[in-house]
Amino acid sequence: MDALAMGNYGAYVWSCFALTLIVIVFSDWRARVRHNQVYRDIEVRIKALEEQE
Amino acid sequence: MWKFFHQWASPPHFYRLAKVLIPWLAVPGLLLIAYGTYAGLFLASPDYQQGDAFRIIYVHVPSAYLSMMAYVFMAVGGGIGLIWRLKLAHAVGAAAAPLGAAFTFLALLTGSIWGRPMWGTWWEWGDPRLTSELILLFLYFGYMALRSSIDDTAKADKASAVLALVGVINVVIVHFSVVWWSSLHQGQTLFKKGGPGMDADMLYPLLAMILGFTFVFGALLARRLRTEVLYRERRTRWVRELVLTPGGGR
C-alpha cells in the first residue's frame, strides 16, 4: 500500500506512468493501423491494375 | 562511402532493413523501460525535498529529451533532403513529426502534473522552459498541418523542411532556457559541470529510461518510416513486386 500511496503523491506519480504507457501503446497501434491501411490500399490498386491488364 | 550511403538509404533496401531493425530496437527498449520503471518507482530513495513526487522524472525527462531529439531529426532530415535530395531524408521528417508531437505532449502533461504538488500550480505562463516547450508542440502541429495542406509531396517536403530548419532554433531555446533565464524549472542535472547531481540509485534508473525510450522511439520511427516509404513509392516497380509476391512484404 505504501508503494501505491507514494508518500501521498500516488495520484500524480501513477497518472504520469499510466499516461506514458497510453502514449507509447497508442503510437505503436496507430503506426500499425496506418501501415496496414496503406499496404492494403496499394495492394487493391495494384491487383485491380493487374486484372485490367 | 557515398555510394554505400545511397544504397543503404535506397527505399527498397531501407524498407526491408527497417523490418529487421524494429524488434532489435523494441525488445531492448522495453526491457530497459521495465528495469527503469521498477528501479525508479521501488528501489530509488525518495528525494529529500520532493519526496516520492520526484519519481515523475523517470517518464518526464525521457519524454522531454525525445521531444527535442525528434525535432532535430526533422531538421537534419529536412536539411539533407534539401541539399542532397535524398528521398529517405524527407520521409524521416514526415515520420518523426507525430512521434515528436506525442512526446512533447507527454512532457508537458507530466511536467504539469509534477508542477501541481511542487510549485502549487499546473502551469506558469512566465516560465521560459514551459513556454518554449509549448511553442515546440505548436511547431510540430504547424509542420504536420503544412505537410497535409500540400498535395504535391515534393513541394510539401521542401516547405516543411524549411519550417523544420527555422524551428530548430526553438529546440536550442528549450534546452538552454533554464541557463539563460530565471526559471521555476530546475536547472540542468545530468549534464552539469562536475557530473550528474544525483545519487547512483536515482541516476541509473533514469539513464535506463532515457536509453529505453530512445530505443522504443527508434522502433516507432522505423515502423512509421516503412509506411512513409511505402506510400511515397507506391507507383514504383519494387512496391508492385513486393505486393504481388506471395506472402507479401507487409
Side-chain angles (χ1 to χ4, degrees), chain B residues 153-234:
Chain B
T153 308
K155 284 182 183 167
D157 283 343
K158 280 182 189 166
S160 58
V162 171
L163 178 63
L165 285 166
V166 172
V168 83
I169 295 164
N170 187 57
V171 174
V172 180
I173 294 172
V174 173
H175 184 71
F176 289 106
S177 56
V178 291
V179 179
W180 292 340
W181 297 290
S182 165
S183 174
L184 266 178
H185 197 282
Q186 71 185 70
Q188 292 184 334
T189 307
L190 284 179
F191 302 110
K192 71 175 188 178
K193 282 177 189 170
M198 297 175 90
D199 280 343
D201 71 333
M202 292 176 173
L203 179 64
Y204 293 142
L206 181 59
L207 294 177
M209 288 297 259
I210 291 171
L211 200 60
F213 269 61
T214 308
F215 276 113
V216 167
F217 174 82
L220 291 171
L221 184 65
R223 197 182 289 289
R224 293 193 67 92
L225 253 173
R226 289 185 85 229
T227 312
E228 191 64 35
V229 166
L230 194 65
Y231 180 75
R232 285 164 181 257
E233 298 282 304
R234 63 192 181 280

Side-chain angles (χ1 to χ4, degrees), chain B residues 117-164:
Chain B
M118 292 299 112
W119 297 342
T121 179
W122 297 101
W123 187 262
E124 180 56 54
W125 280 109
D127 188 83
R129 171 59 69 85
L130 271 61
T131 313
S132 55
E133 185 75 10
L134 184 64
I135 291 169
L136 184 63
L137 182 65
F138 292 150
L139 278 168
Y140 279 117
F141 288 158
Y143 180 94
M144 290 188 285
L146 183 65
R147 287 202 68 86
S148 59
S149 68
I150 304 171
D151 290 332
D152 185 329
T153 308
K155 284 182 183 167
D157 283 343
K158 280 182 189 166
S160 58
V162 171
L163 178 63

Side-chain angles (χ1 to χ4, degrees), chain A residues 2-9 11-17 19-21 23-24 27-32 34-40 42-47 49-50 53, chain B residues 15 37 41-42 50 52-53 55-56 58-59 99 102-103 106 109-110 113 116-118 122 209 213 216 220 223-224 226-227 230-231 234-235 239-240 242-244 248-250:
Chain A
D2 281 352
L4 277 179
M6 286 281 163
N8 286 334
Y9 295 115
Y12 300 105
V13 174
W14 290 110
S15 62
C16 285
F17 278 80
L19 282 166
T20 304
L21 183 68
V23 166
I24 291 176
S27 298
D28 186 56
W29 173 78
R30 188 74 194 93
R32 283 169 195 266
R34 170 89 179 125
H35 185 79
N36 289 338
Q37 205 174 30
V38 168
Y39 192 93
R40 210 168 34 245
I42 294 170
E43 198 173 31
V44 167
R45 190 180 59 81
I46 289 176
K47 285 187 176 163
L49 281 172
E50 284 284 301
E53 285 167 12
Chain B
Y15 184 81
T37 300
L41 286 174
F42 306 115
Q50 301 176 24
D52 286 301
R55 299 183 200 281
I56 292 172
Y58 293 111
V59 287
L99 292 174
F103 282 107
L106 192 59
L109 211 59
T110 53
I113 292 170
R116 183 70 188 102
M118 292 299 112
W122 297 101
M209 288 297 259
F213 269 61
V216 167
L220 291 171
R223 197 182 289 289
R224 293 193 67 92
R226 289 185 85 229
T227 312
L230 194 65
Y231 180 75
R234 63 192 181 280
R235 293 191 179 88
V239 170
R240 190 187 176 103
L242 182 89
V243 167
L244 292 174
R250 199 180 286 257

